[in-house]
Amino acid sequence: MPFQEDFAVERFMDEYEETVEFNAAESCCHSLSLNQLFELTGEKFEFDYSKRFTYGSIQGTPALRSLIAQMYSNSDVKLTKENVLITNGAIAANFLVHYALVGPGDHVICLAPTYQQLSSVPRMFGAEVDLLHLKATDAFLPNLNELVAMIKHNTKLIVLNSPNNPLGSVVPTQLLRQIAAVAEEKGIVVLCDEVYSPLFHSCQQPKSFAQISTLGAVTGSMSKAYSAAGIRIGWIVSQNAQLLKQAASRRDYNTISVSMVDDAITRYILSHRDAILKRNLALCNENLSIMRTFIANSNRKFSFVHEPQGGSVCLIYINGVQDTDSFARTLAEKYKVLFSPGECFGVPGTLRVGLGNSTHELTEGLRLLRAAYDEYIDI
Amino acid sequence: MPFQEDFAVERFMDEYEETVEFNAAESCCHSLSLNQLFELTGEKFEFDYSKRFTYGSIQGTPALRSLIAQMYSNSDVKLTKENVLITNGAIAANFLVHYALVGPGDHVICLAPTYQQLSSVPRMFGAEVDLLHLKATDAFLPNLNELVAMIKHNTKLIVLNSPNNPLGSVVPTQLLRQIAAVAEEKGIVVLCDEVYSPLFHSCQQPKSFAQISTLGAVTGSMSKAYSAAGIRIGWIVSQNAQLLKQAASRRDYNTISVSMVDDAITRYILSHRDAILKRNLALCNENLSIMRTFIANSNRKFSFVHEPQGGSVCLIYINGVQDTDSFARTLAEKYKVLFSPGECFGVPGTLRVGLGNSTHELTEGLRLLRAAYDEYIDI
C-alpha cells in the first residue's frame, strides 16, 4: 500500500462544513447557480436534450479546448486546442501531471506553504520531495538562488503555485521567466498550479506560466475564479506536446472522458468570463477591505502573514495562539464558524480566511473569531 | 516516471472512432439522450437552476448513495449509503481501489482476459501482478484451484470482472461464494468489477459480490447497462468500512467531489432503471440473435470464443487471421467499420463486438466484416 497521509484541509472541512453556521474557510469565490449566471451574464444556459450521453470527445470537446487555449494566449504566444487537456477539476490535472512524470528515483522541488496535494502526491508516487520554503524576506516568493541550489541531477519537476494558496502571493512575470530559464536549461518541467488565476485583485496580472515556458505546464479549473466548483472541469495547458501526450496516455487509466454536461456548462461560463470575473474581483476587493479594517482594529490580536495580491484566500496570524488546529475546532464546534487552521498548510499559529465568501458570512465569521479569541486566550 | 504501457483499446478507439461510418466496437448499450430518457421513462429530468455550483456532498449526495446501496441490497443483505462511495466513472472507482490498497511489495492476482486497466494500474503502483487465465475448459470462469495455488503471503488483492469484458462470461453465485471464502480466510480483498451488471441476457442473475463478501468491493457505473457514459458517475460498493475509508482518503487527492449535475441526472436515471434495463436487455438479446445467425451462416469463418451470458460485448474468432490488430485497422481505414482487435485484451486472432450497439450499426458492421474477410484472406 503506497503511503499517503490524510489530506488535512479536506478532512477538516469535511468534518465541519455541514454543521457550522458561517463558512469563512471556503476557498472558492461564492458559488453561482444557473439562475444567477443568467442574471449576471444576460444569457441563459440551454441544455441540449437531444445529445446522447456517449463518452464524447475523449480529451474534452474541441470547442472547450479552443476556448481555454484562447484564455492562455496573448499577442506573442498563440495556443491552440492541441495545448489543452481537459480533466476532472484541477485536483485531477495536478494528479495527472505527477502520474505522468514522477516515480521512484525522481526528485521533486515543491514550494511551501501550498496546497498539500502538490507535495504529497509525488511522495506517494515514490519520488523524493524537497520543500522550497517561502519567506517574508522574499515577499513569500520563491527564492531563485535557493531554488537553483536545491536542483539535483535527478530533479524531474519543480512545483509552483501562483496565486499562492494559502498566502495570496503572486509570482511576477520576471521571476517566472527566471525560473523557466533555469529549469529549461536543465530539462526540468515546471508545474505551475494557477487554479486561483486570474484573480489578481491587488497587483498587475502577470503572464501565465503557459505563455512563458515551452517545457512547463499550468493547471486551472472552474472552482475558484469562476464560482463553479460543482462543475468538475479542470485543465492542463502546456506548450510541451510530449508532456501532454504522456498525460493523455495516463488519463486513459483514471478518467477516459469528463462529464458531457459539465463540458457544455463550462463553455457557457467561460464564454461569459469577463462578467463573472468582474463580480468576483469586486467581491474579493470588498472582503479584503473588511479584512484590513478588522486587522487594523484588532489591537495586534490578528495580523496578515502576507497581504494577499491575488487569489481568494489569505493567511492571518492569530497572535498568542500556537495550537490553531484546536482553536479552529473550538471555532467550528462552539461558535459554529469555519476557518481552516494553518496546520493544514504547515503554518501553525495561523488561520486561512476565504476572501471570496459572501460578505455577510465573512463579516459574521470575523465577529465570531474576535469573540472566540477574547474568550479563548483568557482561558 | 512510473512505467505504464499505453491503454491499447482506448488508443485504438480514439484513433478511429471519429472517422468510421459504423461503430460495432462500442462497449456501452446504445447511449440515450435526455429526450429519449423522457420517452422511455415517462418522466422528464428537471434541472435545478437555483442550485449553486459548490463542491456539494464530498462523497456523493446521500440520496444517490442510498439509491445505489438499495440496488446492491437483497432480502439478506441491507446496504446503506455508508457502503457507497461515488467516483468519476468505474474507471476512477477501479483506480481508487488500487490507489488505496496496493504498492511495492504487494502481490495482485488479476484474471485474464479483461479490461487492461485492472492489471496495468496495480503494476504502475509497484505491485507484482500475476494473471489467472480464463480457459474454455472452465467455461471461461476463474479456476478455484489455480487461484488458490497462486496466492502468496503478500497477496493483497484479487481482481475479478463479471460479466467479463470481453468474453461475456458470468461468474455464478456459488463460485463467487467460494472465492470470497478463500480470500476472506486469508484477509485478501477481492475487487469485482461489475460495470456490465445487471446485463444478464442469457443466464440467471447472480448475486453481486457486494452481497457475498464482507471484505471485498464492487465497482460499477452509468456507462454500460444504463446507456449514459457521458454522465461520469461510478461507484465503489463494499461492506468493508476500512477499505471505503482508505479509498475516501485517497480520493481527496484526485477527485474531491463529482459533478453536481451528473449526480442529479444519475439519481433520475437510476430511479427509472427498470425501464432502461428492459430496453437494453431487449437490445442485447436482439443483437446476440443476429450474431448467432451471422456465425452460423459464416461457414466457420467466424465463431464465438464464448457465447456471452451477460454484458454488452462478446469476443469472436476470426478464423485464419492471426494479426487481428492489422485486420481491425484495415476494417477501420478501408471499410469504415470499427471492431476492437483482440490484441487489446491479449487474445490475438479475435475481435470484440459490441452487443449493445444500435442493431443497424451491428448489422452493417457484420456485413462489412464479412466482405473484408473475404477480400483479406484472399490476399
Side-chain angles (χ1 to χ4, degrees):
Chain A
M1 169 176 169
F3 172 75
Q4 192 158 48
E5 67 275 22
D6 276 354
F7 204 135
V9 72
E10 299 297 337
R11 288 298 99 215
F12 184 86
M13 303 272 274
D14 203 26
E15 191 171 342
Y16 293 113
E17 208 157 22
E18 298 192 7
T19 56
V20 295
E21 197 175 349
F22 301 106
N23 185 347
E26 182 53 60
S27 59
C28 305
C29 285
H30 195 63
S31 302
L32 294 164
S33 68
L34 284 171
N35 280 338
Q36 290 168 322
L37 282 162
F38 179 24
E39 267 178 53
L40 199 63
T41 65
E43 190 190 322
K44 197 172 171 183
F45 176 74
E46 296 294 345
F47 284 97
D48 184 350
Y49 283 77
S50 68
K51 196 155 178 67
R52 294 198 299 120
F53 291 131
T54 65
Y55 284 108
S57 302
I58 296 302
Q59 304 203 354
T61 58
L64 176 58
R65 292 163 63 209
S66 294
L67 186 53
I68 291 168
Q70 182 199 322
M71 285 162 47
Y72 287 85
S73 294
N74 62 18
S75 52
D76 298 327
V77 182
K78 301 289 177 208
L79 301 177
T80 72
K81 67 178 194 298
E82 306 305 326
N83 301 108
V84 179
L85 184 62
I86 302 300
T87 62
N88 288 307
I91 188 104
N94 287 331
F95 188 89
L96 204 53
V97 172
H98 288 98
Y99 184 9
L101 288 185
V102 303
D106 294 327
H107 177 242
V108 174
I109 300 170
C110 179
L111 52 77
T114 188
Y115 191 54
Q116 188 180 341
Q117 181 200 25
L118 297 171
S119 58
S120 188
V121 166
R123 278 199 196 102
M124 184 279 298
F125 276 118
E128 178 199 0
V129 178
D130 280 326
L131 299 179
L132 172 59
H133 291 278
L134 303 177
K135 296 185 298 290
T137 46
D138 297 316
F140 293 99
L141 298 175
N143 182 302
L144 191 67
N145 293 331
E146 276 183 45
L147 176 63
V148 170
M150 288 169 77
I151 292 174
K152 300 183 179 186
H153 71 283
N154 60 339
T155 301
K156 197 71 173 285
L157 189 66
I158 295 170
V159 185
L160 307 178
N161 168 219
S162 177
N164 177 269
N165 170 17
L167 290 162
S169 54
V170 172
V171 187
T173 302
Q174 179 60 17
L175 181 52
L176 289 176
R177 282 196 202 286
Q178 291 170 323
I179 294 171
V182 164
E184 292 189 6
E185 195 198 320
K186 296 182 184 284
I188 300 168
V189 169
V190 177
L191 163 63
C192 190
D193 177 335
E194 297 184 0
V195 74
Y196 287 92
S197 179
L199 288 170
F200 301 99
H201 46 73
S202 310
C203 68
Q204 209 188 349
Q205 175 161 354
K207 288 195 197 310
S208 166
F209 198 74
Q211 295 163 350
I212 286 174
S213 169
T214 54
L215 205 57
V218 153
T219 53
S221 85
M222 297 304 290
S223 300
K224 312 301 179 190
Y226 302 107
S227 295
I231 299 300
R232 303 305 299 143
I233 297 282
W235 48 81
I236 304 172
V237 182
S238 179
Q239 297 183 44
N240 183 340
Q242 176 64 14
L243 168 60
L244 286 173
K245 195 179 162 204
Q246 287 169 327
S249 170
R250 294 298 186 283
R251 188 175 169 278
D252 289 337
Y253 284 101
N254 74 355
T255 306
I256 306 182
S257 61
V258 302
S259 161
M260 194 172 258
V261 183
D262 281 8
D263 188 303
I265 296 177
T266 299
R267 276 176 273 146
Y268 159 74
I269 293 178
L270 291 182
S271 298
H272 297 287
R273 62 189 182 277
D274 288 350
I276 296 159
L277 289 172
K278 189 176 162 193
R279 175 253 196 194
N280 285 344
L281 283 167
L283 181 61
C284 289
N285 272 315
E286 184 182 356
N287 286 343
L288 182 53
S289 160
I290 289 167
M291 280 299 299
R292 286 195 186 107
T293 306
F294 173 77
I295 283 171
N297 296 339
S298 78
N299 200 20
R300 303 193 182 212
K301 291 174 179 170
F302 312 105
S303 53
F304 282 115
V305 176
H306 180 65
E307 270 227 16
Q309 306 293 298
S312 44
V313 292
C314 66
L315 199 65
I316 62 172
Y317 286 118
I318 313 302
N319 295 314
V321 179
Q322 291 306 313
D323 184 357
T324 34
D325 185 79
S326 160
F327 184 53
R329 288 178 194 279
T330 301
L331 285 165
E333 288 163 17
K334 189 167 166 194
Y335 293 85
K336 302 291 172 199
V337 62
L338 200 62
F339 291 91
S340 302
E343 281 84 351
C344 296
F345 304 92
V347 194
T350 67
L351 292 179
R352 190 186 71 173
V353 185
L355 289 179
N357 290 295
S358 76
T359 299
H360 171 68
E361 265 186 291
L362 179 68
T363 309
E364 288 299 301
L366 293 176
R367 185 180 61 76
L368 290 165
L369 170 61
R370 177 70 186 254
Y373 182 93
D374 290 342
E375 189 173 352
Y376 190 85
I377 64 153
D378 282 340
I379 291 167
Chain B
M1 169 176 170
F3 172 75
Q4 192 158 45
E5 68 274 24
D6 275 354
F7 204 135
V9 73
E10 300 297 336
R11 287 300 98 215
F12 184 86
M13 304 271 274
D14 203 26
E15 191 171 343
Y16 294 112
E17 208 158 22
E18 298 192 7
T19 56
V20 294
E21 199 175 345
F22 301 105
N23 185 347
E26 182 52 60
S27 59
C28 304
C29 286
H30 195 63
S31 302
L32 294 164
S33 68
L34 284 172
N35 279 338
Q36 290 167 322
L37 282 162
F38 178 24
E39 267 177 53
L40 200 62
T41 65
E43 190 191 321
K44 197 170 170 186
F45 175 74
E46 297 294 346
F47 284 97
D48 184 350
Y49 283 76
S50 68
K51 195 155 178 67
R52 293 197 299 120
F53 291 131
T54 65
Y55 284 108
S57 303
I58 295 303
Q59 305 204 351
T61 58
L64 176 58
R65 292 163 63 210
S66 294
L67 185 54
I68 291 168
Q70 182 199 320
M71 285 162 47
Y72 286 85
S73 294
N74 61 18
S75 52
D76 298 327
V77 183
K78 301 289 177 209
L79 301 177
T80 72
K81 67 177 194 299
E82 305 306 325
N83 300 109
V84 179
L85 184 62
I86 302 299
T87 61
N88 287 308
I91 187 102
N94 287 331
F95 189 89
L96 205 53
V97 172
H98 288 99
Y99 184 9
L101 289 185
V102 303
D106 294 327
H107 177 243
V108 174
I109 300 169
C110 179
L111 52 78
T114 187
Y115 190 54
Q116 188 180 340
Q117 181 200 25
L118 298 172
S119 58
S120 188
V121 165
R123 277 198 196 101
M124 184 280 297
F125 276 119
E128 178 199 0
V129 178
D130 279 327
L131 299 180
L132 172 60
H133 291 279
L134 302 176
K135 296 184 298 292
T137 45
D138 297 315
F140 293 99
L141 297 176
N143 182 302
L144 191 67
N145 293 332
E146 276 183 46
L147 176 63
V148 170
M150 288 169 76
I151 292 174
K152 299 184 179 186
H153 71 282
N154 60 339
T155 301
K156 197 70 173 285
L157 189 66
I158 295 169
V159 185
L160 307 179
N161 169 219
S162 177
N164 177 270
N165 170 18
L167 290 162
S169 54
V170 172
V171 186
T173 302
Q174 178 60 15
L175 181 52
L176 289 177
R177 282 197 203 285
Q178 291 169 322
I179 294 171
V182 164
E184 292 189 5
E185 194 198 321
K186 296 183 184 284
I188 300 168
V189 170
V190 177
L191 164 63
C192 190
D193 177 335
E194 297 185 359
V195 74
Y196 287 91
S197 178
L199 289 171
F200 300 99
H201 45 73
S202 309
C203 68
Q204 209 189 348
Q205 175 161 353
K207 289 196 197 309
S208 166
F209 198 73
Q211 294 162 352
I212 286 174
S213 170
T214 54
L215 205 58
V218 152
T219 52
S221 85
M222 297 305 290
S223 299
K224 311 300 178 189
Y226 303 107
S227 294
I231 299 301
R232 303 305 298 144
I233 297 283
W235 48 81
I236 304 171
V237 182
S238 179
Q239 297 183 44
N240 183 339
Q242 175 65 13
L243 168 60
L244 286 173
K245 195 180 162 202
Q246 286 170 328
S249 169
R250 294 299 186 280
R251 188 174 170 279
D252 290 336
Y253 284 101
N254 75 354
T255 306
I256 305 183
S257 62
V258 301
S259 161
M260 193 172 259
V261 183
D262 281 8
D263 187 303
I265 295 177
T266 299
R267 275 177 273 146
Y268 159 75
I269 293 178
L270 291 182
S271 299
H272 297 286
R273 61 188 182 278
D274 288 350
I276 297 158
L277 288 172
K278 189 177 163 194
R279 175 254 196 193
N280 285 343
L281 284 167
L283 181 62
C284 289
N285 272 316
E286 184 181 356
N287 286 343
L288 182 53
S289 160
I290 290 167
M291 281 298 300
R292 285 197 186 106
T293 306
F294 173 77
I295 283 171
N297 296 339
S298 77
N299 200 19
R300 302 193 183 213
K301 290 173 179 169
F302 311 105
S303 53
F304 282 116
V305 176
H306 179 67
E307 270 227 16
Q309 306 293 299
S312 45
V313 292
C314 65
L315 199 65
I316 61 172
Y317 286 117
I318 313 302
N319 296 313
V321 179
Q322 292 306 312
D323 184 357
T324 33
D325 185 79
S326 161
F327 183 52
R329 288 178 194 279
T330 302
L331 285 165
E333 288 162 17
K334 189 166 165 194
Y335 293 85
K336 302 292 172 200
V337 62
L338 200 62
F339 291 91
S340 302
E343 281 83 352
C344 296
F345 305 92
V347 194
T350 67
L351 292 179
R352 189 185 70 173
V353 185
L355 289 179
N357 289 296
S358 76
T359 299
H360 171 68
E361 267 187 288
L362 180 67
T363 309
E364 289 299 301
L366 294 177
R367 186 180 62 75
L368 291 166
L369 170 61
R370 177 70 187 253
Y373 182 94
D374 290 342
E375 189 173 354
Y376 189 85
I377 65 154
D378 282 340
I379 290 168

